[in-house]
Amino acid sequence: MTDLEKIANEINNCTLCDLHKNRTNAVPGEGPEDAKIMLIGEAPGYHEDQQGRPFVGDAGDLLTKLLEEFANLKRDEVFIGNVLKCRPPDNRDPNDEEIEKCSPYLKKQILSIEPKLIVTLGRFATKLLLDRSVKISKEHGELEDGEYGGWNCKLFISYHPAAALYGADVGKKLENDFEKLGEIAKDLNSFKTTKQTTF
Ligand code: URA
């Protein structure tokens, strides 16, 4: 069993918060173990809950299109995860405590993959990883030096595909974010990463 499969098992069996009680499936991250880019969404929606896989509903279709048509990346070459690994379909607004309880799984996935670049889609992931409040409308499209759970790498902030689907007039900005991601992805091999060691 690979490390990622072990983590997925832990996630599927997790009972740390009450969200596991009413969801259909937990939604571990998905993608190649040696992915250089890790994309982090917010939380599963209805289709993800039904299928136990990240980004398989409308937001997932849009994400695939943005990756392929604007970033020139294949969906199956990036690792795609979420901040929250389970969310019952009637819970649209995860609270801080649920996010906190779930965050060790995100850390384990990051440390297992050791990506060169993390892409945060939306405010939960960006806030959690940068450890500060973030205004996506101002900071989207920015590349930062990120540190999360002992892993240092670049972090790119993007709008979430769902923002364009449900209300906000950000379609063009989202496309620009993914075009920029495509440009950044060309330089991945020159990015330095480090793991912090504790003594
Ligand atoms: N939105 C997310 O943040 N994650 C998913 O898996 C689906 C929609």
Side-chain angles (χ1 to χ4, degrees):
M1 200 187 278
T2 65
D3 283 352
L4 279 175
E5 284 166 346
K6 282 185 201 146
I7 299 167
N9 268 348
E10 272 184 59
I11 291 169
N12 288 331
N13 294 323
C14 175
T15 54
L16 286 177
C17 79
D18 282 350
L19 289 183
H20 76 281
K21 287 185 183 158
N22 297 320
R23 52 109 168 127
T24 314
N25 289 295
V27 183
E30 186 177 273
E33 204 134 345
D34 60 351
K36 291 196 168 67
I37 300 177
M38 180 168 178
L39 263 122
I40 305 174
E42 306 212 309
Y46 174 79
H47 294 282
E48 290 76 21
D49 174 76
Q50 295 296 302
Q51 296 183 40
R53 298 179 51 212
F55 283 97
V56 286
D58 290 346
D61 290 344
L62 181 53
L63 176 62
T64 305
K65 179 179 157 162
L66 289 161
L67 282 170
E68 295 185 354
E69 292 180 20
F70 292 89
N72 217 6
L73 293 166
K74 293 198 178 62
R75 179 176 166 131
D76 61 10
E77 72 183 287
V78 301
F79 186 90
I80 302 179
N82 280 315
V83 171
L84 267 199
K85 310 296 175 286
C86 36
R87 181 175 64 173
D90 60 349
N91 178 335
R92 300 301 307 163
D93 206 6
N95 63 43
D96 287 349
E97 193 185 296
E98 288 157 350
I99 291 176
E100 196 49 46
K101 289 252 169 70
C102 212
S103 65
Y105 295 123
L106 187 56
K107 175 178 157 182
K108 284 187 184 186
Q109 289 178 107
I110 292 172
L111 288 176
S112 173
I113 294 184
E114 302 192 334
K116 291 262 185 188
L117 174 70
I118 289 176
V119 182
T120 53
L121 302 172
R123 70 191 165 95
F124 296 134
T126 310
K127 180 169 181 247
L128 187 67
L129 269 69
L130 294 183
D131 201 18
R132 62 175 171 81
S133 286
V134 171
K135 208 159 177 15
I136 294 289
S137 57
K138 272 204 168 148
E139 298 186 49
H140 77 100
E142 284 184 12
L143 188 63
E144 306 241 349
D145 283 310
E147 185 278 321
Y148 190 66
W151 181 249
N152 296 260
C153 64
K154 296 275 185 201
L155 184 146
F156 180 68
I157 304 171
S158 169
Y159 268 109
H160 192 294
L165 291 175
Y166 307 114
D169 185 16
V170 297
K172 189 72 200 141
K173 291 177 182 162
L174 191 57
E175 290 171 6
N176 290 344
D177 284 349
F178 275 74
E179 262 173 12
K180 193 158 178 197
L181 169 61
E183 287 306 308
I184 291 167
K186 290 181 189 161
D187 286 333
L188 282 185
N189 285 334
S190 67
F191 290 179
K192 301 243 179 317
T193 53
T194 48
K195 197 181 214 163
Q196 273 160 337
T197 38
T198 40
F199 297 99

